[in-house]
Structure formats: structure tokens, C-alpha cells
Amino acid sequence: GVRPEIFAHAFRYLKRYSYEDPDYMIRDTKRNPLGYTYHVGEDFLDIADGLRAVDEAIKFLNLGRGDRIGHGLVLGTDPKEYYEKKGCCIVLPKLDYLDNVAWLLTQIRYYNIQVSSNLIQELENDYWRLFNDIYDRGNIPPHIYYQSWLLRGDDPCEENSVDNIRKNPLTFWERCSLNEGTMFDSARKINDVVKLYVSYHFDPDVKKRGAISEEFKVSSNYIKLMEQLQAAMRTEIAEMHIAIETNPTSNL
């Protein structure tokens, strides 16, 4: 139940740390030859949930060439067999499923995956129903919700204290509190994104409503989407030269 976002700040700190100078932020990867491993996608509430966790590890922990994903079973689990064993039903907290749906809608566009219009409509209907159940933020569309998700790798700060630390970082640790990159910087400039990010971290009602579990039916179109998404992510991870650390007996 602990997402990669929890460890993001520490991973970025370690990946950039220089033993030669504690206040030096490494830019040249040749000065930091060690790769990093994060175990993810080994156990999951749903295949979409596990694939999202892999994406979170890569984006939030800044995994790249020479780093490793521990186990990563979700990248190779047979979706049809997985869901048939579950009676084509999954049970997970509403907030997790909402996160998965917003993430899926974005990945469909990102990887240009061809899916049925019925599945898109089903996912969008689930998104709006769950968003209105959990949040009190008006009509926030899935792409804005996804932008808020992108910021979860940042060290959580309430709205009033964000500027003080983030605009004037004093220590190396503070400088690692924000995830660097154009897509993250762009998301931080959107008011609705920041407010949603703060609600996710600090609103007790959101946490309470989001923790309620619900059963969700899985269609054949959803299963096909998982197969296509697995294949797309495997290709991208290979192109990034991120290794999968596979221990056959442990995986089995």
C-alpha cells in the first residue's frame, strides 16, 4: 500500500549525492556510476495499478539508464489469466481506482493505443463518478487530474509553505524536494493542479472517502488494453536501458 512517491525525495537525493562535496548536486552521470534498484510491480491491486506504480517509480525516483526495477511481475503477468482467476472483478479503494483511470486515459493517448469508444466512455464515466464521490473541487477533467498526479513525487508541502522552501532552498536535501523536468514545472503553474495536489495530501475527508473499497467489473476491452499497455511499457523501459531484476524462484 506504499506508493513509490513516498521514497521519491530520498531517491533523488541519493542519486545526486556526491561524496566529494555534500552540497554538490551531481549533473555528470559519470561521477555517479552506481545504479539504483527499486522493487515495484511485484504485488498489486490490479494490473493497471501495478503498471502505474512502475511508471511512478521511473518518473518520481528518476530511474534511468543503468537502474533496475526489482521483479516487475506486472509487466509480464498474463492479463486474461489474471482477471479470469478473479472472476473478472477487482476490489480496491476508490481513490486507487480513480488514480488508475485518470492515468489510463492519459496513457492511451501517450502510447496511441487503439481502444474501443465504449471502453473510453466507461473509463470516463467511472472517473467522473469517483471524482465527485471523493473530491469537492468542481469539474476537474482527467487531464488536469493527471497533472496533479505528476506532482506526487514532490515532497509534500501545504500551499502556504511551498514558496518559502521551494523558491529559496537552503540545503542539498531541500533542493531535491522537487522533481525536475518540464512536465513537472508546467504542472506546478496550474492553479487547479496545485489545489488538487494539496487536497490529495492534506484533506482528511478525501483520504476517508477515497479509502472506501468498491468492486469493479472488468470487461474484455479492459483486458485487451492491459495487454497493449504492458507491451508499450516494456518497449519503452527497454529503450531507456532500465533493467528488470528477475529472481526466478522468488518471482514464481
Side-chain angles (χ1 to χ4, degrees), residues 131-132 135-140 159 192 195-196 198-199 203:
F131 182 82
N132 290 325
Y135 288 91
D136 183 22
R137 284 286 173 193
N139 294 324
I140 303 294
E159 229 168 344
D192 283 339
K195 287 184 177 180
L196 200 58
V198 172
S199 292
D203 189 330

Side-chain angles (χ1 to χ4, degrees), residues 132-147:
N132 290 325
D133 280 352
I134 298 169
Y135 288 91
D136 183 22
R137 284 286 173 193
N139 294 324
I140 303 294
H143 73 277
I144 293 294
Y145 191 95
Y146 176 83
Q147 296 280 304

Side-chain angles (χ1 to χ4, degrees), residues 39-51:
H39 283 210
V40 67
E42 183 178 2
D43 191 17
F44 36 90
L45 301 171
D46 171 40
I47 288 180
D49 186 68
L51 292 174

Side-chain angles (χ1 to χ4, degrees), residues 80-95:
K80 188 175 181 181
E81 181 181 343
Y82 175 85
Y83 289 113
E84 283 179 351
K85 284 183 178 180
K86 291 179 173 289
C88 288
C89 287
I90 52 175
V91 178
L92 66 167
K94 289 182 178 182
L95 182 58

